[in-house]
Amino acid sequence: MRAAVVGTGLIGGSVLLRLHAAGLDVTGWDPDEATRGQARLAGVPVSPRLVEAVADRDVVFLCGPLPTLPATLLEVAAATRDDCLLTDVGSTKAELAAFARGHGLTGRFVPGHPMAGADTAGLTAASAALLDGAAWVLCPSPGPATEAFRRLARLLTVVFDARVVPMSPADHDAAAALASHVPHLLAGALAGAVRRSALREAVLSLAAGSFRDGTRVAGTPPQRTVNMLLGNRREVLDSLTAVTAVLDELADALRSADGATLTARYAEARAARVALAGRTYDEQVRSFPVDGDHADEVAWLCGLGASGGHLSGCGVDDTTVSYAAVLPHAD
C-alpha cells in the first residue's frame, strides 16, 4: 500500500515516521519548507508540492490543522484516483464528515481520530512510537464506504497495533468532549488561576504530581486547543454543564461542611478512575458477507464503539469480512 501524509506536525509526523519504519512506500508533505527539511534529515521522503506527494497513492492521511481540513480534503480528492482511500486525524468528526458527505466523498473518506498526543508540537516532537497501541476512532458509513473502512481498519491494526474504535461522528464528538476537550478547559482554568495568583511562585514551588497531571494539556500550543474547542463547541459546552453540576455539588457540600456528601462524590469519582485501569475485556469474532447488508455491519460496528469496545483485527476474503472485537466484560 502506497501512502502519503499531508501535514507533518506532531500527529502527522508520527504517522509518517511509523509508516516509514514499517517499510511502507510513504511520502510526506508539509506547507512549511523547514519542516520538509526536518523530514529529509530523518530519512523520510517528502515532496515540495502537495499534488506530487499524493499522486498515485492508495491511502492519504490528512493531518493539518482542523480549520484547513475541508479545503485540503477537496484538493487531495481532486489530485488522487477514485479508489484512493482518504482519512484524517482531526479531533472532531461531525463537521468534516458532513462536509465530505455533501461533496460526494463518503465512499472513499473515512473520518479518523487517534487518541494520542503530547503537549508539544511539530515534527521534531513526533515519534514513530507515539501512536502505537492507541485507541484510533474510525467512523464507518454504509455502502462503498464500508469497504474503505475495512481497508483502513486492517492497515491501522497491523501497522500501528491500534485499537480501532468504530463510532458515528456524533458519538465520537460527544465522547471526546468529556474524554479530551473538557479536560483542556479544566487544565486551562487551573493553570490560569495559578498564573493570576499573588502567590504564583509559591504555588509553583509546592506543585507536585496532582498539579502537573491536572495541567499537563495546558502546555499544548494555544491555537491547537482553540481549534479543537471551537470545532466541537456544542458538545463541549454540554459536557462542561455536566461537569459544572458535579463541581457545584462538591462546592455546596464543602460550604455546608457535609462530609458524607463529599465522601460519596469522591467515592463515585474514584470508581471511575479505578475503572480506567481495571477494566477487563472479552473477545469475540463477528463476520459479515462482503457484499451483504452494509447497514447491519455499520450498525454493529458503531454499537461496538459506543459500548466501549474496539477492533483488534479485520480480515477480508472473497465472501466474508471478519472482525476481531474486544468488549468490556459485563459484570
Side-chain angles (χ1 to χ4, degrees), residues 82-311:
D82 289 343
D83 62 349
C84 177
L85 174 61
L86 308 176
T87 188
D88 77 305
V89 298
S91 56
T92 66
K93 298 274 68 83
E95 186 174 339
L96 188 59
F99 180 87
R101 184 168 57 251
H103 287 81
L105 294 173
T106 300
R108 54 190 295 217
F109 175 66
V110 182
H113 180 204
M115 301 298 295
D119 55 0
T120 50
L123 182 59
T124 55
S127 164
L130 179 68
L131 303 174
D132 284 0
W136 198 312
V137 175
L138 294 180
C139 302
S141 296
T146 310
E147 193 273 334
F149 172 89
R150 297 166 182 166
R151 290 168 57 199
L152 187 57
R154 185 171 186 274
L155 174 66
L156 297 182
T157 54
V158 170
V159 174
F160 293 88
D161 193 28
R163 294 177 286 123
V164 172
V165 182
M167 301 184 80
S168 70
D171 280 352
H172 165 273
D173 287 0
L178 270 176
S180 175
H181 304 167
V182 169
H184 278 76
L185 284 175
L186 298 178
L190 178 56
V194 170
R195 178 72 178 175
R196 298 177 184 181
S197 172
L199 292 173
R200 178 180 65 201
E201 297 303 325
V203 172
L204 294 177
S205 295
L206 298 178
S210 59
F211 182 82
R212 285 195 299 271
D213 292 346
T215 61
R216 180 184 65 80
V217 294
T220 302
Q223 193 58 55
R224 193 166 79 194
T225 300
V226 170
N227 290 341
M228 175 186 69
L229 295 174
L230 291 179
N232 199 25
R233 181 173 57 175
R234 182 177 62 82
E235 294 292 353
V236 172
L237 289 172
D238 286 349
S239 294
L240 184 61
T241 297
V243 172
T244 302
V246 178
L247 280 172
D248 287 342
E249 291 179 29
L250 290 169
D252 289 344
L254 185 59
R255 289 190 190 95
S256 59
D258 184 352
T261 296
L262 283 170
T263 301
R265 293 291 77 77
Y266 274 100
E268 180 183 16
R270 184 177 185 277
R273 173 69 183 186
V274 168
L276 183 64
R279 303 172 89 191
T280 58
Y281 294 88
D282 298 319
E283 298 180 359
Q284 68 170 239
V285 174
R286 183 67 184 268
S287 298
F288 297 88
V290 166
D291 297 321
D293 187 338
H294 289 188
D296 282 351
E297 183 178 340
V298 169
W300 176 80
L301 287 166
C302 290
L304 174 72
S307 64
H310 65 269
L311 301 175

